[in-house]
Amino acid sequence: MTTYAAPIRDMQFVLHDVLRISQQDLPGHGDLDREFTEAVLDAAGKLAAEVLAPLNAVGDRQGCRLENGVVRTPEGFKAGFERMREGGWTALDCDPEFGGQGMPYVIGLAAGEMFSAANMAFTMYQGLTHGAYSAIHAHGSDEQKATYLPKMVSCEWTGTMNLTEPHAGTDLGLLRTKAEPQEDGSYRITGQKIFISAGDHDMSENVIHLVLAKAPGGGEGTRGISLFIVPKFLVNEDGTLGERNAVSVGNLEEKMGIHGNATCVMNYDGAKGWLLGELHKGMRAMFTMMNEARVGVGLQGYAVAEAAYQNAAAYARDRLQGRAVTGDANPSGPADPLIVHPDIRRNLMDQKSFLEGARALAFWGAHLIDRAHLAQDRQADDLVSLLTPVIKGFLTDKGFDCAVQAQQVFGGHGYIEEQGMSQFVRDARIAMIYEGANGVQALDLVGRKLAAEGGKPIMAFFEMVKSEIKAQETDEVLQAQFCEPLKAASKDLQAAAMFFMEQGMKNPNAALAGSYDFMHLFGHVALGLMWLRMAAASRKALEEGTQDATFHETKLATGRYYMARQLPATAMHLARIRSGAEPVMALDAARF
Amino acid sequence: MTTYAAPIRDMQFVLHDVLRISQQDLPGHGDLDREFTEAVLDAAGKLAAEVLAPLNAVGDRQGCRLENGVVRTPEGFKAGFERMREGGWTALDCDPEFGGQGMPYVIGLAAGEMFSAANMAFTMYQGLTHGAYSAIHAHGSDEQKATYLPKMVSCEWTGTMNLTEPHAGTDLGLLRTKAEPQEDGSYRITGQKIFISAGDHDMSENVIHLVLAKAPGGGEGTRGISLFIVPKFLVNEDGTLGERNAVSVGNLEEKMGIHGNATCVMNYDGAKGWLLGELHKGMRAMFTMMNEARVGVGLQGYAVAEAAYQNAAAYARDRLQGRAVTGDANPSGPADPLIVHPDIRRNLMDQKSFLEGARALAFWGAHLIDRAHLAQDRQADDLVSLLTPVIKGFLTDKGFDCAVQAQQVFGGHGYIEEQGMSQFVRDARIAMIYEGANGVQALDLVGRKLAAEGGKPIMAFFEMVKSEIKAQETDEVLQAQFCEPLKAASKDLQAAAMFFMEQGMKNPNAALAGSYDFMHLFGHVALGLMWLRMAAASRKALEEGTQDATFHETKLATGRYYMARQLPATAMHLARIRSGAEPVMALDAARF
């Protein structure tokens, strides 16, 4: 059995020492002081550790079942979901006008990290609802908002996103689901959607499906796509539930992981739906929320890895095996704990130094989204749009790698399902795939985000790195241990961007062939920047005579590890990128 | 459903164009010409593709069951195992004196690659038997050999290796299983062993367990350990089966993968056993076969990845999604196949260039083992001892990564169990763990093999790289595309070895902290060397006007990819190694 402890201390550090959120000018959020966020995070952490985490293995073992067309969630999920609702956790960062608590997204994300770490499959029911809530909040009519949002904020009704069809994954232009306009202003939706997370279940009264479909007159490809609200139960004018809509669960997928979440084939057989937003602008409406949704998946990647790491560290401290090469560390015992062995340390430090950097990056991304939404900060919006594919792609790839490394600490025991480490690996795997597979993130980054606004956001990022390095020029320790490695890594990133620009016109494949490496290169530079910020904050705290010197010294040592051991990857990625498209594209398709 | 096609053409290339086995002086094996090996490999490939591969998903889905103390294998396994036996495949590289076919190990390994690729869990029943066969063959008395070997060669009886106990994994010195000498010369074995692959099943008449246990008088730790033969059914003097021995299956583990193989908890309750080899020299006896066993696991790592790759390549050619950036490749269809996209190519080329290099390395390792065993070639023995942890650790790590990449090509479909890609990932995972977890391989490499024989084997390896580069100095194409990158990579490896030597005395943790990176660095150099050899062989074939120019041109392009895109990793590993022990060991155990 695995356990989970909420990393509140580290979250508080990121929120207050690094992001300094109480000093930021977020309209309507003047009260985000240390005590307040600590109280919120403590309560969320308690729920995660005490209610959600114990349900994690249950969900994996039992999975969901389809019984007479209705999905049954694993034992205890329903009661757990009620606890979550009762605590107001589903409403945390929602609009007070519809019953939300109105906290910024960064606080919702922090709570979400703990919930996902404790039980990813369970937390997805709420996560999908939040996505659907955001789409209706942004694009719905007043009537639609009034009808759906209060119930979705409380998760009495949950939500889904229906994009994928059997023949249309990344390429949504191929989708076939049809929407036929009716005389009463509604549409009849007909088609099949697959991979619908939380598509049906027994924890809420209603499920509100957001469905991409083609309505007449929109033209070919993605231009013809509109977004529709299709509730499982139709809603009467007085808000009570009416008749069952013609949408049903065709099948429940057996998956590698996240067994506790119901991944459904959804059949729409002339189901009643209502247009959300503008006709034929469904793609745009769906993707308004993309940064938030993708940052949320990036978070899942490192959150599950955090849980895996905690268990690996505990096992490495407890399990006695072998002796330290530098002399017995536990002379009275039969052997030394695993953690004395340098290669076990290397493994754990890889994880720890990634995870803390990942948290800082995800929180920064969330904070930029807050700046964009609450303060209409255009630069923040541009920057987070640039960072989003990096947060999604890099954090989920590395998060999965960390979960694998955590499992490795257990040796053969890690391969046994009962131990729980396999579930972390299997669950973390999906985050690399859904919400845009990581190859698509790399394509988005290189094909779209790099050139966005004439390259202003990427230039702004480079300027930011430069000025933050410069700001530490009087601190020799930071210069040597953090600034110099970051400077070198950032240069590699600039050189890669330059290579793409030079090649861009004459050979578009060159940029695409290097896109995945670019995403990872960028990820390392971004985490390097996070570590410089965190190191600077810890140096400051130590200079000011903090009460918590151990925390800050640990932080500095962990950051030194990242800079010394992880950042050297940037040169490798640059070398790969510079080899260009030729080696990648040399073979005919038949020769594979 | 996945499929598998035996890569006979590539195997023939490695055996004959690269290793030139028919021109090698392997005593008793003058007949290994192209036609002969092709006939053997074809027949093995047919069995793999037609019998074993269709049972792969069945084994994963059904797993093994423990019924009234007896393990039941999945449907079809028993019939498949009989097909394997009948074809003589279990006897391929066994001693003719005991019914074997007497082929060299490299041929057995080639067949084993196909069997493991098609069905890893199934093939393990034979693989474990082969390991036990080898131990008895090397250390058994004439009577023991006569009693057990003929039945094990035919797999009428299968074998197991019993090392691990709940508290003793890598650290076998901690084991508690006891062996009490009896008046008749036998021993009573008492204790519990865990993670016993193929520990029991319904496909053979008897199971011959090899068990490490402590007999009186051997002293503490691993010095007190002896190796025992403990049959499930005692064997009468006339060779018929007698009474049931006091060994039973305590439990069947639920694992992440290889569900078709029975991983057993074995309870020895005063079971009758016989000493194998010398008293108190069980560790030495067990590890005589280590190179072979570990090369065999390295093979599993890339074999499963090969199967995953084949399915990913087929999917990438078939699945229509998106359009090529350079213009429609399939203008009459609704979209282009995935394989037009550069990032999909990058993914597939990563796999292909690794897999072909891995095959060459594993075959070379097997050939060196043949040289050592059949020709008493001491240098070959030293070299393969050095390479073994690299083959095991690097090929299984990268093989797993490749299986994950292959799964990624399928997008969401790859996460669905029915598709079969998840099984490859879950199965491949174990190869990084068992037969010495990969961290232990790295420790073996840096802590033992580097310094072995005063460093002669590693120096011989460097000399080999140097002379093979020099041998191509008149070929400008090979020089630029293969020799130069290999030279740089080999320099990185030498610099890393030098760093360890310099640090060795004053700071043993420095070498251990860099051991994992060193294993990967070495792996890249070894694969770089394989690619130089393969490229040279293909250049030669093309110059000589081969009928199969497409094969050789593809080979050269694949090799160029490895050199340009994978070898740059060596500089990163060197940089990590050179950062030394400080960042790795900086934190107290309590701070994780």
Side-chain angles (χ1 to χ4, degrees), chain A residues 390-401:
Chain A
V390 178
I391 292 174
K392 198 281 183 181
F394 184 69
L395 299 195
T396 59
D397 275 0
K398 290 286 176 187
F400 175 74
D401 289 348

Side-chain angles (χ1 to χ4, degrees), chain A residues 166 169 171 254 319 321-322 345 404 407-408 415 417 426 429 432 554 565 576 580 582 587 591, chain B residues 166 169 171 254 319 321-322 345 404 407-408 415 417 426 429 432 554 560 565 576 580 587 591:
Chain A
D171 191 350
E254 270 189 54
R319 171 85 170 169
Q321 208 78 182
R345 293 286 181 124
V404 171
Q407 183 187 28
Q408 189 74 13
Y415 199 64
E417 286 295 352
R426 291 183 290 98
R429 182 69 183 89
M432 299 158 69
T554 301
R565 289 246 167 187
R576 286 188 189 160
E582 194 282 330
L587 298 181
R591 296 198 193 182
Chain B
D171 192 350
E254 270 189 55
R319 171 84 170 170
Q321 208 78 181
R345 292 287 181 124
V404 171
Q407 183 187 29
Q408 190 74 13
Y415 200 65
E417 287 293 353
R426 291 183 290 99
R429 183 69 183 89
M432 299 158 69
T554 301
R560 275 206 310 278
R565 290 247 167 186
R576 285 187 189 160
L587 297 182
R591 297 198 192 182

Side-chain angles (χ1 to χ4, degrees), chain B residues 170-435:
Chain B
T170 298
D171 192 350
L172 288 170
L174 300 175
L175 65 80
R176 292 179 194 152
T177 297
K178 272 186 196 157
E180 299 160 277
Q182 306 297 300
E183 290 194 352
D184 65 355
S186 71
Y187 288 77
R188 283 172 64 89
I189 312 291
T190 307
Q192 187 178 65
K193 295 287 182 177
I194 62 168
F195 304 155
I196 307 309
S197 297
D200 193 59
H201 57 91
D202 52 7
M203 306 192 297
S204 70
E205 297 162 8
N206 203 2
V207 180
I208 311 305
H209 302 288
L210 299 192
V211 183
L212 287 183
K214 288 190 172 170
E220 289 295 300
T222 54
R223 281 167 303 162
I225 294 174
S226 306
L227 184 58
F228 298 90
I229 302 178
V230 186
K232 175 179 173 182
F233 289 100
L234 300 180
V235 182
N236 297 322
E237 286 204 3
D238 64 357
T240 58
L241 296 185
E243 60 177 318
R244 185 75 163 75
N245 204 350
V247 48
S248 59
V249 180
N251 190 23
L252 210 51
E253 304 285 6
E254 270 189 55
K255 310 180 300 291
M256 185 178 182
I258 52 167
H259 296 162
N261 198 274
T263 305
C264 300
V265 174
M266 298 303 301
N267 292 325
Y268 294 86
D269 301 306
K272 225 173 165 68
W274 288 269
L275 184 67
L276 176 60
E278 289 180 63
L279 189 66
H280 303 142
K281 297 199 170 152
M283 289 297 282
R284 203 196 292 176
M286 190 58 114
F287 287 124
T288 316
M289 302 304 127
M290 198 166 65
N291 289 342
E292 200 178 309
R294 291 184 168 179
V295 168
V297 173
L299 169 131
Q300 289 179 330
Y302 83 81
V304 173
E306 161 78 31
Y309 161 75
Q310 290 185 12
N311 285 279
Y315 191 80
R317 276 191 296 260
D318 289 349
R319 171 84 170 170
L320 304 180
Q321 208 78 181
R323 289 293 186 185
V325 68
T326 47
D328 293 5
N330 176 33
S332 61
D336 290 341
L338 282 181
I339 204 164
V340 303
H341 302 299
D343 187 60
I344 295 286
R345 292 287 181 124
R346 186 247 348 137
N347 179 327
L348 293 174
M349 289 299 291
D350 276 352
Q351 294 180 63
K352 184 174 168 62
S353 66
F354 163 74
L355 290 167
E356 294 178 14
R359 178 173 297 123
L361 181 61
F363 280 31
W364 183 38
H367 176 66
L368 290 171
I369 290 174
D370 280 329
R371 292 279 318 154
H373 288 178
L374 302 173
Q376 278 73 48
D377 180 339
R378 177 68 189 274
Q379 280 186 315
D381 198 24
D382 287 346
L383 186 55
V384 78
S385 292
L386 173 70
L387 291 172
T388 290
V390 178
I391 292 173
K392 198 281 182 182
F394 184 69
L395 298 196
T396 60
D397 275 0
K398 290 287 175 185
F400 174 75
D401 290 346
C402 283
V404 171
Q405 284 191 250
Q407 183 187 29
Q408 190 74 13
V409 172
F410 287 73
H413 298 274
Y415 200 65
I416 307 300
E417 287 293 353
E418 197 186 4
Q419 189 70 248
M421 301 306 290
S422 163
Q423 186 188 351
F424 292 133
V425 173
R426 291 183 290 99
D427 285 357
R429 183 69 183 89
I430 190 59
M432 299 158 69
I433 298 172
Y434 63 19
E435 196 58 41

Side-chain angles (χ1 to χ4, degrees), chain A residues 183-240:
Chain A
E183 291 195 351
D184 65 354
S186 72
Y187 288 78
R188 282 172 65 88
I189 312 290
T190 306
Q192 187 178 64
K193 294 288 182 176
I194 62 169
F195 304 155
I196 308 309
S197 297
D200 193 59
H201 58 91
D202 53 6
M203 305 193 298
S204 70
E205 296 163 8
N206 203 1
V207 181
I208 311 304
H209 302 288
L210 298 193
V211 183
L212 287 183
K214 288 190 174 171
E220 289 295 299
T222 54
R223 280 168 303 162
I225 294 174
S226 305
L227 184 58
F228 298 90
I229 302 177
V230 186
K232 175 179 173 183
F233 289 100
L234 300 180
V235 182
N236 297 322
E237 287 206 2
D238 64 356
T240 59

